[in-house]
Amino acid sequence: RNLGTARRCGMGWYRQTGALVKHRALRGRIAYLHDRDGERGREWFSISVQHDGTRTLRAQCEMDDEDLLRDVTYTVDGSWRPLDAFVRLTRAQRFVGSAWFRFDDQGAECESWTASEGRLSQRVALSQRPRVFAPHPLVGDGWQAAAYDFSAGPGRQRLWPCTNSSPRHDGGSGPAIGVVQKDLEYVGDETLTVAAGTFRVRHMRIHHLMPWMAAWTPLEFWVTPEDCMLVRMRWDTLSSTYDLVELEGVPR
């Protein structure tokens, strides 16, 4: 058969210069559900996982109440360490900013153009490659679970350094490099049913430690054990739950 066009169980096959290149693929949609107003946004995503564990997220995030549209591409290596990313923002059909990010063992760099500040070049020196990067798609927030040392069992661990593309809870500024500190908590394993199906999940919490985040409640989320695929998130600060409602492929 023609392996160049075959598709099966979320796996893609591609024939390139005589070699067979494989990757796993996941695609889906997350609904942003406010306690009072119902669906106020949504996120479409696709994830490709290569044979060495390198994975790339592509996400389109829509927030109706803030008229915000975010497009993101973000890649991590086989150890879930940030490699590079691109973020573009528009609000009310107007350009806010776009940026390219790159990470290495000495820190992070960014080249951006924003409507408010024009051209910005950043290089932030750090003692090590950032533990996580948060470009603000919720699927990417779920990936932060991979920074936890699960051999220690349930508990709370400090993450430093952590980076993001915006300090706002909606990720609607910049984009530019921000550096923060947070605690990651592993509550335990559960089984969770959402519109996309029933999943075995790890229950996690992010505790925000920066002074200007003092009013933020912990961010509670549930991910699959191996792929850290977000199944649900709950944030009381925004009175909102975020559920996986569509899925193509089988997360591990």
Side-chain angles (χ1 to χ4, degrees):
R1 67 180 180 180
N2 181 4
L3 291 178
T5 59
R7 300 298 300 273
R8 183 181 62 191
C9 298
M11 180 77 79
W13 287 271
Y14 298 90
R15 176 94 47 193
Q16 295 179 352
T17 61
L20 191 64
V21 180
K22 296 182 179 181
H23 70 265
R24 288 195 296 122
L26 298 167
R27 301 177 183 86
R29 179 171 64 90
I30 294 171
Y32 300 178
L33 306 170
H34 188 268
D35 292 349
R36 182 189 65 246
D37 301 331
E39 184 170 338
R40 297 204 306 192
R42 61 216 54 85
E43 177 176 312
W44 288 274
F45 66 87
S46 68
I47 300 167
S48 58
V49 186
Q50 298 180 21
H51 64 88
D52 63 353
T54 300
R55 61 189 68 211
T56 297
L57 163 67
R58 304 158 192 88
Q60 176 182 315
C61 312
E62 298 178 355
M63 282 146 280
D64 300 338
D65 51 338
E66 306 202 27
D67 205 359
L68 182 67
L69 177 64
R70 178 190 305 108
D71 292 282
V72 172
T73 303
Y74 173 41
T75 299
V76 298
D77 67 14
S79 298
W80 293 92
R81 303 183 309 166
L83 291 177
D84 53 62
F86 175 79
V87 179
R88 191 179 197 278
L89 301 170
T90 59
R91 188 186 299 275
Q93 312 298 312
R94 295 180 180 274
F95 175 76
V96 174
S98 64
W100 168 81
F101 299 84
R102 178 181 173 274
F103 307 90
D104 58 31
D105 294 339
Q106 287 75 48
E109 60 182 322
C110 170
E111 294 291 333
S112 66
W113 179 272
T114 71
S116 61
E117 297 179 304
R119 180 64 182 266
L120 176 66
S121 297
Q122 291 177 283
R123 174 70 196 181
V124 177
L126 299 168
S127 60
Q128 62 185 64
R129 185 183 296 265
R131 298 289 302 280
V132 298
F133 174 60
H136 288 280
L138 299 187
V139 173
D141 288 341
W143 284 9
Q144 296 182 66
Y148 191 90
D149 178 7
F150 289 99
S151 67
R156 186 164 163 168
Q157 298 174 3
R158 181 65 45 86
L159 296 186
W160 171 263
C162 302
T163 51
N164 59 42
S165 63
S166 168
R168 291 172 52 108
H169 62 75
D170 65 357
S173 63
I177 299 171
V179 181
V180 298
Q181 181 173 255
K182 63 184 74 173
D183 278 359
L184 184 59
E185 181 182 1
Y186 171 38
V187 180
D189 293 344
E190 302 174 9
T191 298
L192 182 62
T193 298
V194 294
T198 298
F199 302 87
R200 183 170 58 91
V201 293
R202 285 172 167 163
H203 184 180
M204 312 292 297
R205 293 191 187 110
I206 290 175
H207 299 267
H208 304 96
L209 302 180
M210 307 305 289
W212 47 272
M213 297 178 175
W216 292 9
T217 58
L219 189 65
E220 201 147 14
F221 63 107
W222 293 258
V223 296
T224 61
E226 183 177 330
D227 284 326
C228 295
M229 175 72 235
L230 185 78
V231 176
R232 170 173 287 169
M233 178 177 288
R234 172 67 193 182
W235 199 12
D236 288 340
T237 296
L238 298 182
S239 302
S240 294
T241 299
Y242 308 87
D243 273 2
L244 182 65
V245 294
E246 297 177 12
L247 182 64
E248 176 186 338
V250 181
R252 298 175 179 175

